[in-house]
Amino acid sequence: MTVTTAETTSKSSGSLRTEVTCSTGWLIIDNAPRRNAMSLAMWQDMPAAVDDLVRNDQVRVIVVRGAGDTSFCAGADISEFAETRSDGTKAQSYDAINVAAFKALKHAEKPVIAMIRGHCLGGGLGIALACDLRIAAEGALFAIPAARLGIAYPLEAIADIIEPIGPSAAKRLLFTAERIDTETAFRIGLVDEAVTEDALEARIESLARTLGNNAPLTLRAAKRAINAFAAGREPEALARAREAALDCFESADVVEGRDAFLEKRSPVFSGS
């Protein structure tokens, strides 16, 4: 059964929609007339939409996708830039809103998968890079066109580019503003898997099912730990990771995992 849990922003400027199917929470970027470009209102709504799915006990995995079958997200809605980035102060405010959206995905306490087809550009690529895993269909296009627009890409978002592909490839992506295809994106590590267009839906469903069947507290602990190390081992982040690890060993799920192994059956985890 699919339950629509939220829809934000007006149809004229696009919307973010959340839906739940079994244990998968879908975050849908819906602005098809503009290739699912993100309006300022949509960027502002992203943290609350992610939080709704994180707080939903039915949801074990979050999948971010674009509405329709032609674009993941073409980035920020450039038609708004004359207003939203008309001077340095407004640009800084806009970037802060972007970064808050990226952080909501990056630090969500559940695994987040980007389901990518078609255009994945600029801020859309930033959204994908804030996800834990990126699965892309053949024919997708990736780029950061900031150098062709005369704008600076948000500082924190640049760190998310460097993390999977390294400084040299990040420089090439930003300096050239070139569009690269799925094969190249996979080769340099920008995406984790490249599949055919026909196989994308099934692969996402299979991966979400696999993650959804695993112990939620273990996944939470792993994500906190990996994020803490990637961010430079900040004491507060490491403390939260240790706390999450301790929660695993004091949970009912650790008993269920042990019993299921001894009884040679699949475990059924409750997340408690």
Side-chain angles (χ1 to χ4, degrees):
M1 181 178 67
T2 300
V3 181
T4 301
T5 56
E7 182 167 344
T8 56
T9 78
S10 67
K11 287 294 184 183
S12 61
S13 61
S15 65
L16 294 178
R17 293 188 286 114
T18 59
E19 299 177 358
V20 178
T21 307
C22 298
S23 63
T24 301
W26 299 87
L27 177 56
I28 303 165
I29 303 166
D30 191 351
N31 194 4
R34 294 185 179 276
R35 295 176 176 172
N36 295 324
M38 292 280 290
S39 66
L40 175 59
M42 292 166 71
W43 285 115
Q44 290 170 323
D45 289 337
M46 178 73 82
V50 174
D51 190 57
D52 283 345
L53 293 173
V54 170
R55 290 177 179 275
N56 188 323
D57 292 337
Q58 183 180 340
V59 173
R60 296 285 183 90
V61 181
I62 298 170
V63 178
V64 184
R65 63 167 297 165
D69 57 7
T70 61
S71 293
F72 174 73
C73 176
D77 188 343
I78 297 174
S79 68
E80 295 183 333
F81 279 12
E83 171 59 28
T84 59
R85 285 179 162 175
S86 59
D87 58 42
T89 300
K90 286 186 176 181
Q92 286 184 326
S93 176
Y94 189 95
D95 283 355
I97 292 168
N98 282 182
V99 169
F102 299 147
K103 284 184 176 180
L105 293 164
K106 193 175 183 71
H107 297 291
E109 296 269 64
K110 295 176 181 178
V112 184
I113 304 169
M115 175 182 173
I116 304 168
R117 52 161 55 97
H119 300 86
C120 183
L121 311 176
L125 181 52
I127 290 171
L129 287 167
C131 298
D132 300 306
L133 299 172
R134 289 164 291 283
I135 315 300
E138 293 175 351
L141 293 172
F142 305 82
I144 298 175
R148 295 186 180 274
L149 296 169
I151 62 174
Y153 203 66
L155 188 63
E156 293 87 343
I158 288 179
D160 289 343
I161 303 170
I162 295 171
E163 188 175 319
I165 66 176
S168 181
K171 287 176 182 177
R172 181 179 178 87
L173 201 63
L174 287 158
F175 290 178
T176 66
E178 292 175 341
R179 293 187 176 189
I180 62 174
D181 59 19
T182 301
E183 181 181 357
T184 304
F186 176 67
R187 177 174 55 79
I188 67 175
L190 199 64
V191 300
D192 300 290
E193 292 184 33
V195 300
T196 64
E197 173 66 32
D198 291 344
L200 182 61
E201 300 271 356
R203 177 57 185 139
I204 291 294
E205 290 175 3
S206 174
L207 183 58
R209 190 180 311 113
T210 296
L211 300 187
N213 287 336
N214 286 337
L217 296 180
T218 299
L219 301 188
R220 184 182 72 174
K223 182 168 181 174
R224 282 191 188 180
I226 293 167
N227 283 351
F229 284 114
R233 306 188 182 205
E234 296 174 356
E236 183 178 345
L238 286 173
R240 293 181 71 248
R242 291 190 183 96
E243 179 184 23
L246 182 60
D247 288 342
C248 292
F249 290 104
E250 295 181 346
S251 70
D253 278 352
V254 73
V255 178
E256 168 62 11
R258 179 195 63 208
D259 290 349
F261 178 82
L262 294 174
E263 296 165 11
K264 295 181 172 56
R265 60 174 174 81
S266 296
V268 179
F269 295 114
S270 65
S272 62

